[in-house]
Amino acid sequence: QKNVCLTSWRIKVMDGNTAICVEGKRKDMKDLSWHSNTIVERIAHNQVKTSSGSIYLLQGNIDSTSMRKEG
């Protein structure tokens, strides 16, 4: 089971408002833009688990500016 660390992250709605994922920049891949599979569980205030079993560590604050642009 791998941990993925995202910075400049935000929540993204998918599947016609039935699921959410997170997207952001991966620290381990030179800030490559990345998005997760469907989030199934919140483990901690800054950690979520996806349907594929990956753990995402959300570093820093949510990117509220880009989320506001998308509504």
Side-chain angles (χ1 to χ4, degrees):
Q1 196 173 49
K2 62 180 181 16
N3 286 8
V4 179
C5 186
L6 291 181
T7 60
S8 302
W9 60 276
R10 61 193 183 142
I11 297 166
K12 189 147 176 119
V13 177
M14 48 199 286
D15 295 338
N17 284 352
T18 59
I20 59 166
C21 69
V22 287
E23 65 178 26
K25 296 186 183 343
R26 273 186 76 149
K27 284 192 87 175
D28 60 344
M29 293 186 175
K30 295 189 167 72
D31 287 342
L32 179 79
S33 287
W34 191 263
H35 69 87
S36 71
N37 285 317
T38 303
I39 302 296
V40 293
E41 185 185 351
R42 185 174 186 174
I43 298 166
H45 77 282
N46 64 341
Q47 275 186 313
V48 292
K49 185 176 187 176
T50 66
S51 56
S52 65
S54 295
I55 305 281
Y56 279 77
L57 180 63
L58 307 173
Q59 197 168 62
N61 293 323
I62 191 165
D63 183 357
S64 54
T65 310
S66 68
M67 281 188 69
R68 257 189 231 109
K69 277 184 206 155
E70 290 188 11

